[in-house]
Amino acid sequence: QSVLTQPPSVSGAPGQRVTLSCTGSNSNIGAGYDVHWYQLLPGTAPKLLIYGNNNRPSGVPDRFSGSKSGTSASLAITGLQAEDEADYYCQSYDSSLSSSRVFGGGTKLTVL
Amino acid sequence: EVQLVQSGPEVKQPGESLKISCKGSGYSFTNYRIGWVRQMPGKGLEWMGIIYPGDSDTKYSPSFQGQVTISADKSISTAYLQWSSLKASDTAMYYCARRGRDDYSPLDYWGQGTLVTVSS
């Protein structure tokens, strides 16, 4: 069981907006630690999508955005495209685990 | 261009030893920490530990302390993950990733993964 909780699956039609949630606690997200998001496409190296809660690395489309509030964080994808179908993971740090990095269980995004 | 290139897939028997590698290029290898992440079949990502190639300072996730060894050879810009006695439960995809400059920086570049299969 992951320290950060993500819904196992989310789906949306092309062009729609979807939101992926990441719920933690007062020892991780709620403690003020940054949340990062990664995209895993089959057969390819994982990719950093959002860092520091709401920042996009160079080359990541502005269709992707992140936010954080309290003990939760969210990844929003607008204008959904078929190529967005992938697994998405949130990641933060946990003070109860020697400030070890912790991941969410991942969300499988299906584009209908 | 920053790249992390991992060694190829491995098929091993229980009890065997194994060392997989992760070679960095396109940046100063000694200045960035390299972390390892496990993904068991059908499961999520798990943080294993991290090494600073500049001085080989290593930190392990509590779940992996004593189970694996992380090392690096800065002369060839390569980090390693090794097991002394594999178990079937070590079957997984293993990723290396570069950590940004700061303690809480993201994993900004990842290797393509090494699939380890342990089966008798």
Side-chain angles (χ1 to χ4, degrees), chain B residues 36-114:
Chain B
W36 287 92
V37 178
R38 182 176 78 175
Q39 185 175 31
M40 298 177 74
K43 302 296 184 181
L45 303 177
E46 298 175 90
W47 177 249
M48 300 179 71
I50 194 166
I51 188 166
Y52 182 60
D55 61 8
S56 290
D57 179 51
T58 307
K59 295 181 181 177
Y60 294 92
S61 164
S63 300
F64 291 91
Q65 179 81 48
Q67 306 304 308
V68 296
T69 301
I70 295 171
S71 60
D73 184 340
K74 61 185 179 182
S75 69
I76 55 172
S77 301
T78 301
Y80 301 97
L81 178 65
Q82 69 180 89
W83 296 259
S84 58
S85 180
L86 286 161
K87 303 184 283 287
S89 58
D90 293 318
T91 294
M93 180 72 84
Y94 293 88
Y95 295 101
C96 65
R98 189 186 83 162
R99 196 204 77 181
R101 289 281 196 173
D102 302 321
D103 284 349
Y104 301 109
S105 293
L107 303 169
D108 56 2
Y109 290 92
W110 293 63
Q112 83 278 18
T114 295

Side-chain angles (χ1 to χ4, degrees), chain A residues 1-5 103-106, chain B residues 44-45:
Chain A
Q1 195 162 348
S2 302
V3 174
L4 305 178
T5 301
F103 288 96
Chain B
L45 303 177

Side-chain angles (χ1 to χ4, degrees), chain A residues 3-112:
Chain A
V3 174
L4 305 178
T5 301
Q6 296 182 250
S9 63
V10 166
S11 63
Q16 279 190 330
R17 178 182 190 273
V18 295
T19 301
L20 283 61
S21 63
C22 174
T23 302
S25 67
N26 288 328
S27 64
N28 42 68
I29 298 176
Y33 291 114
D34 281 345
V35 177
H36 314 303
W37 291 88
Y38 303 94
Q39 179 190 57
L40 270 70
L41 288 162
T44 65
K47 175 184 176 182
L48 175 64
L49 206 60
I50 296 288
Y51 68 94
N53 307 314
N54 55 13
N55 301 288
R56 284 186 309 276
S58 173
V60 173
D62 60 6
R63 302 186 296 105
F64 295 90
S65 63
S67 63
K68 174 186 156 184
S69 178
T71 58
S72 295
S74 295
L75 172 70
I77 310 173
T78 59
L80 204 58
Q81 300 180 3
E83 67 210 49
D84 298 332
E85 186 162 296
D87 293 326
Y88 293 85
Y89 289 86
C90 60
Q91 180 250 303
S92 188
Y93 310 83
D94 197 291
S95 59
S96 68
L97 299 171
S98 303
S99 294
S100 181
R101 288 170 186 265
V102 290
F103 288 96
T107 296
K108 168 68 177 179
L109 172 63
T110 300
V111 181
L112 301 170

